[in-house]
Amino acid sequence: MKTFYALLLVAARASLEEEVASLRAEMKAQKELIETQQAMIKELQPLGRQLQTWVTQAQLTAAVTALQNTDYNLGGALDSAWLCLCGALVMFMHAGFGMLETGSCRAKNASNVLMKNLVNVCVGTLGWWLFGWAFAYGAQNGNGFIGTTGFAGFDFYTQDQTTGVITPSSCTADGCQSVMLMWFFQWAFCTAGATIVSGAVAERVKSPTYAIFAFFMASFIYPVIVAWTWGGGWIATVLDVGYMDFAGSGVVHLTGGVAGLAGTVVLGPRAGRFTNPEEFECHNLPLVVLGTFALWFGWYGFNPGSTLAMHDGATGAMAAQVAMNTTLAAATGGITVFILRFAIQKKYDVGGLCNGILAGLVSITAGCGNMECGSAFATGLIGAFVYQGGSMLLQKLKIDDPVDAAPVHGFCGIWGVLACGLFDWGKGFDYYHGWSGFGCMPVSTTDSSCKPGLGGSAIGAQFILIIMVIIWSGSLSAITFLLLKLTGTLRISEEVEAVGMDSHHHSPPKAYSLNAGAGAAGGTGSGSAPLGVLPSAPAGSASNPKDAWGAKADPA
């Protein structure tokens, strides 16, 4: 028995020794691991101290500035691409104006109408470069009325006096926008505003005379209104809330519409306009429709482009909102006038549909950036009634506006400015968004909470804008046209008006090849089908093309 216990003790001792040996080996391995880790820590300690002292404050500031400049330059590039594209779209609206006005007038004056549109852009550009930009956006030096710097492109650059190196722009948190960029974009608006007048005075004003007025319009009348508003003048802060006109229902369209109304009143109606109205119908509806689509297309540069930037998500969202509002108002205005004309005439009026679209576009231009889509629909709807009422009023007063420029741009421009204040995003009439876009107008620069009690002041500011534009643009335009009339250089002669300006003053003497199909009838023409721009003479009637144009045949 003793022998058994002895063997058991020996076996237990051997097992215990093995376990102790295993523990010793494990402890040795842990010790070696700890020693290895301690060695690694010692190696990393100098690097840790180096990381803590490697970046100085000056180096950190320089690195942050470099990153900011990269971000600003990228934002500036996006802004420049956006405004160059939108400015080009606005410039393309001149093609729309040209087609619309030409199709709305008589074929015998087609070349002259097209020429005036081209001359308007060229002369207006020179006026904007020489004087317009400076009066509109030059430094006002506290006068709040008119700019005084930047004539003929002067001071558009920053130039080093020693090296002569030119810096076109400086980078800030708002991007890197050069003066030339804004000059180009605002030039497109200026010439568009001046072109509105050409349609109102078409078919009876002398071309050199109109060129003089277009220069004066682009270099002084329009720029001063811009200086009061977009240029930061006195209307920008009137009644402590300022006006709101996002893209120019008042600044551009009302200015041009009132000037056109003044011009057509001073000129008087075209001979026979209200005794033989059937002779003054649109001679080419395809051109009218093409011009309308071109104008609608260009309006997406006019309105969304007025964000004036595209360097962050907020401006992108605003541009999208503006584009949606613009589209809704145009469609609503067009279909509403179309229905109204059908109810009145019991016939489809394509020309009315076209002008209804333009009426909706003009109406939404002021408020496209501070109202939601339902209000945009209402703005276009009411704008259609405003246009139709204005068009009927001019006919009642026997005021001859060949393209309804005053009802579309003037009357609807007034409504657009008012709608901008009435349908503002602000809650009720107590809060107001205005230029703040998606956000409300704050109490101050340090207090971002919504400022209450602004609704009444905002509407008052809109009325002030309307009244001042009418007074300034209407009076100066009327005075200019009256002075030209007194000198005998305003209106063409009765003979030229009867025959047409194209045959008297243009080469070639007509815009269309009316005898293109003469060869097919045994004549000397080319044998191709006629263009069909004139109505066919009914059987037994005179075939003199002047009768189709609306002019009387010359006496034998």
Side-chain angles (χ1 to χ4, degrees), residues 242-314:
Y243 78 103
M244 174 61 187
D245 189 355
F246 190 82
S249 288
V251 175
V252 179
H253 294 282
L254 180 56
T255 300
V258 170
L261 181 61
T264 191
V265 169
V266 173
L267 271 167
R270 293 166 289 178
R273 170 64 182 88
F274 296 104
T275 56
N276 302 300
E278 69 281 351
E279 297 178 354
F280 294 84
E281 299 290 340
C282 299
H283 89 272
N284 195 323
L285 270 176
L287 286 184
V288 174
V289 174
L290 177 63
T292 301
F293 274 120
L295 287 168
W296 192 347
F297 179 71
W299 232 285
Y300 292 114
F302 207 97
N303 285 6
S306 293
T307 59
L308 301 181
M310 188 54 72
H311 57 261
D312 55 30

Side-chain angles (χ1 to χ4, degrees), residues 355-368:
N355 273 346
I357 291 171
L358 299 181
L361 288 167
V362 172
S363 298
I364 196 61
T365 296
C368 55

Side-chain angles (χ1 to χ4, degrees), residues 477-521:
S477 298
I479 291 171
T480 304
F481 281 116
L482 282 171
L483 290 175
L484 293 170
K485 184 177 182 178
L486 291 175
T487 61
T489 58
L490 182 62
R491 183 160 181 155
I492 59 176
S493 66
E494 293 181 1
E495 177 188 359
V496 173
E497 186 174 356
V499 178
M501 285 186 276
D502 289 4
S503 62
H504 262 259
H505 299 306
H506 290 264
S507 178
K510 52 189 175 183
Y512 303 103
S513 180
L514 300 177
N515 297 320

Side-chain angles (χ1 to χ4, degrees), residues 97-98 100-106 109-110 112-114 116-117 195-207 210 260 263-264 267-271 273 280 400-405 481 490-492 497 501:
F97 280 120
L100 178 67
E101 292 174 18
T102 302
S104 297
C105 296
R106 291 168 292 179
N109 296 313
N112 186 262
V113 172
L114 291 169
K116 282 206 293 290
N117 275 269
T195 301
I196 294 170
V197 184
S198 69
V201 299
E203 295 200 282
R204 64 239 199 246
V205 69
K206 290 185 177 180
S207 300
Y210 177 75
T264 191
L267 271 167
R270 293 166 289 178
R273 170 64 182 88
F280 294 84
D400 183 14
D401 186 342
V403 298
D404 268 352
F481 281 116
L490 182 62
R491 183 160 181 155
I492 59 176
E497 186 174 356
M501 285 186 276

